[in-house]
Amino acid sequence: PNSVVPLYKQLKDLIAKQISDGELKPNDRIPIEAELSKMYSISRITVRKAISELVEEDVLAKKQGKGTFVREKKITEDLGNPNSFT
């Protein structure tokens, strides 16, 4: 709370780190907004903003009535430098 970094950004970075460290795996459901709000003593609006940004970045996916889940990592390939199958 004493950091110059906004709380939503701190939470966003924390969730992203949990994903990159393997604590949260693809298709894992993250806690609901109310639980995250209580866990970190921040408002639900702050939690909602962090989650919304991660959804926009395709890190998380919201499923109506089910929750918010960690997305599978997308595999990207440089089409300007195609690979050979031989």
Side-chain angles (χ1 to χ4, degrees), residues 1-2 11-12 14-15 17 28 31 35 38 41 50 54 61-62 68 75 79-80 84 86:
N2 298 330
L11 179 60
K12 177 183 166 190
L14 177 70
I15 294 170
K17 184 172 180 351
D28 280 356
E35 290 173 359
K38 196 172 190 177
S41 301
L54 289 168
K62 284 187 170 189
T68 305
I75 298 172
L79 296 178
S84 172
T86 59

Side-chain angles (χ1 to χ4, degrees), residues 51-82:
I51 291 172
S52 292
E53 286 200 3
L54 289 168
V55 168
E56 286 176 23
E57 295 172 9
D58 282 338
V59 175
L60 298 176
K62 284 187 170 189
K63 295 182 183 174
Q64 186 70 31
K66 304 247 186 220
T68 305
F69 297 85
V70 178
R71 279 191 176 268
E72 298 269 348
K73 283 190 177 181
K74 291 185 177 180
I75 298 172
T76 57
E77 185 174 340
D78 181 11
L79 296 178
N81 193 8

Side-chain angles (χ1 to χ4, degrees), residues 31-38 43-45 47-48 51 62:
I32 62 172
E33 289 175 3
E35 290 173 359
L36 288 169
S37 177
K38 196 172 190 177
S43 74
R44 286 183 66 180
I45 294 168
V47 172
R48 192 172 298 133
I51 291 172
K62 284 187 170 189

Side-chain angles (χ1 to χ4, degrees), residues 3-42:
S3 174
V4 295
V5 178
L7 288 174
Y8 83 90
K9 177 81 166 93
Q10 291 179 44
L11 179 60
K12 177 183 166 190
D13 292 344
L14 177 70
I15 294 170
K17 184 172 180 351
Q18 289 175 333
I19 293 168
S20 67
D21 289 350
E23 292 176 46
L24 291 171
K25 295 175 180 33
N27 301 315
D28 280 356
R29 187 177 72 80
I30 67 167
I32 62 172
E33 289 175 3
E35 290 173 359
L36 288 169
S37 177
K38 196 172 190 177
M39 282 170 45
Y40 298 110
S41 301
I42 55 178

